Amino acid sequence: MNADQIKTISVIGSGAMGSQIAMVSALAGYSVTLQDIQEESVVKAEQSLRDRLGKRVDKGKMSKEELDEAFSNMTFTTSLEEAVRDADFVIEAIVENLEIKRTLFEDLDRLAPKHAILSTNSSTIVSSKVADATNRPGKVCNFHFFNPALVMEMVEVVQGPHTSNETAEVAMELARRLNKTPILLKKEISGFVANRILAKLMNEALYLYENEIATAEEIDLACTKALNHPIGPFALIDLTGLDVHYNIRQYRYEETGNEEDKPSPVIVEKVKKGDLGRKSGKGFYSYS
C-alpha cells in the first residue's frame, strides 16, 4: 500500500482533537467520516467546526466555496461499522483509556478493510499496547496531532517494533499531504518528543507556582515574553484541559512508578473541584 491509495479517512472520536483532525483531512481533499458513540457529540462537533471555519471565511482566510467543499467531503455518524467499512486509514482519537482503546481496535480490525492502516492519536499510549488486539499489527502505529489540530503543524509518527516500514512511510507521506510537518520516531517512548520536553517545562512551572515563587500569570509571561513561546504553560493546560493533563500524568505514573510523574497536587485539587480550564469556564484562569 502507498499514500496514493488512501482516498478515505475515518476518525473515531468527535472531541476537539478528533473533529479538527477530521476537518484537516477534509480540507486536504480526502473523503472523511467522523464517528462518535454519542449523537449529541457528533452534532456538537459539526456545529463547532462550522463556527470555527465560518470565522475564517468572515476574516477572508478561506472562501465560502472552500468551506462548502470541505463539509461536502465529510460524513458524521454514530455507527462504527458505517464509519470504517470503506476506510483506507483510521485515526483513533477517543478517551485515554487503554482497555477502551483495545476493545475499539478489536472492533476496527473486524470492521475495516484488510488493507486499512489503524492509527492512534494518543501521545501517552504507544501503539504496541493496542496492536496485539488486532490481526494486523504491522498496520498499526501512532499518528499524533497537536492541539488545536487545525492550527498546529506537527505530527509525530511512531514506528513501534510491530509497525512495518511500509506503514510508517505511508503515515509520514499522509501527514505531508494533510499539510503537516511530520517527524518519525523509530522507537516507542511514552510522551514521544514534544510532550516529553513540554512535561519538563510544566513540572518546573508547577513547582514555581506551588511554592508561591510566582503566579500563573507571571510564569506564563516569562515564557511568552522572555522565551518567546506562543502560549504559557498554564494557559496551555487550560486550553487542553486539566483533566487531560491529569489523565496523562496518572497514566505515566502508573507506567513508571516514579513519584515525580504523579499529577501535581494543584492539578488534583482543581480537577476534583471541576475547574477543568476553558471547557468548564475556569482553570488557572477564569473564562466568561
Side-chain angles (χ1 to χ4, degrees):
M1 184 180 180
N2 59 54
D4 290 335
Q5 294 171 284
I6 297 177
K7 308 295 183 188
T8 302
I9 296 174
S10 297
V11 181
I12 312 304
S14 68
M17 283 301 295
S19 61
Q20 290 193 37
I21 292 168
M23 179 52 75
V24 164
S25 305
L27 286 167
Y30 290 93
S31 175
V32 183
T33 303
L34 179 62
Q35 186 271 350
D36 202 293
I37 55 174
Q38 300 284 346
E39 176 71 31
E40 180 185 354
S41 298
V42 174
V43 172
K44 183 179 176 183
E46 181 174 3
Q47 188 57 55
S48 175
L49 287 172
R50 289 193 179 277
D51 291 345
R52 182 180 286 264
L53 274 296
K55 289 175 182 175
R56 288 192 181 184
V57 173
D58 293 342
K59 293 176 181 177
K61 293 183 177 179
M62 69 184 298
S63 67
K64 178 70 163 56
E65 290 72 26
E66 287 174 310
L67 176 65
D68 291 341
E69 183 178 353
F71 274 103
S72 74
N73 290 338
M74 294 187 73
T75 300
F76 299 84
T77 183
T78 55
S79 167
L80 186 63
E81 184 174 3
E82 178 188 344
V84 302
R85 65 184 169 207
D86 299 318
D88 301 308
F89 198 100
V90 179
I91 304 168
E92 169 271 310
I94 66 167
V95 64
E96 291 292 85
N97 179 294
L98 179 57
E99 291 311 311
I100 295 174
K101 285 185 191 290
R102 286 183 61 82
T103 299
L104 174 62
F105 271 78
E106 283 181 27
D107 292 338
L108 293 175
D109 186 51
R110 178 170 50 85
L111 297 170
K114 295 302 178 189
H115 71 271
I117 289 173
L118 309 180
S119 72
T120 172
N121 181 59
S122 179
S123 66
T124 53
I125 297 175
V126 291
S127 68
S128 59
K129 304 265 188 185
V130 296
D132 65 339
T134 77
N135 292 307
R136 62 181 94 184
K139 291 184 176 292
V140 179
C141 67
N142 286 83
F143 196 63
H144 176 235
F145 291 74
F146 289 83
N147 189 21
L150 277 164
V151 177
M152 301 298 282
E153 297 178 14
M154 173 63 64
V155 169
E156 292 173 316
V157 176
V158 186
Q159 182 175 8
H162 55 282
T163 309
S164 71
N165 289 333
E166 179 187 274
T167 294
E169 289 164 9
V170 170
M172 289 288 286
E173 180 56 28
L174 176 60
R176 295 185 191 102
R177 295 185 184 193
L178 296 178
N179 299 306
K180 300 300 183 185
T181 302
I183 60 172
L184 177 62
L185 282 68
K186 285 287 198 175
K187 292 181 180 178
E188 290 187 331
I189 185 168
S190 181
F192 309 159
V193 174
N195 281 341
R196 289 183 72 87
I197 294 169
L198 179 62
K200 299 298 184 184
L201 176 73
M202 293 287 193
N203 284 352
E204 191 61 30
L206 286 161
Y207 172 85
L208 294 169
Y209 175 84
E210 289 178 336
N211 285 277
E212 299 181 350
I213 292 163
T215 66
E217 293 89 342
E218 289 168 332
I219 295 165
D220 278 359
L221 278 171
C223 290
T224 57
K225 301 302 183 184
L227 304 179
N228 207 27
H229 292 184
I231 187 173
F234 293 104
L236 181 58
I237 292 173
D238 276 3
L239 176 64
T240 56
L242 277 80
D243 53 335
V244 173
H245 179 89
Y246 173 88
N247 289 337
I248 289 170
R249 295 307 296 263
Q250 187 63 28
Y251 180 83
R252 182 81 58 81
Y253 169 64
E254 290 168 3
E255 187 178 57
T256 66
N258 186 344
E259 289 289 320
E260 291 181 2
D261 288 333
K262 267 187 173 180
S264 82
V266 69
I267 295 288
V268 173
E269 181 186 346
K270 285 182 178 292
V271 169
K272 281 182 180 177
K273 286 165 60 179
D275 294 341
L276 306 180
R278 286 179 180 267
K279 69 177 80 175
S280 69
K282 187 180 180 183
F284 287 98
Y285 296 89
S286 292
Y287 304 89
S288 56

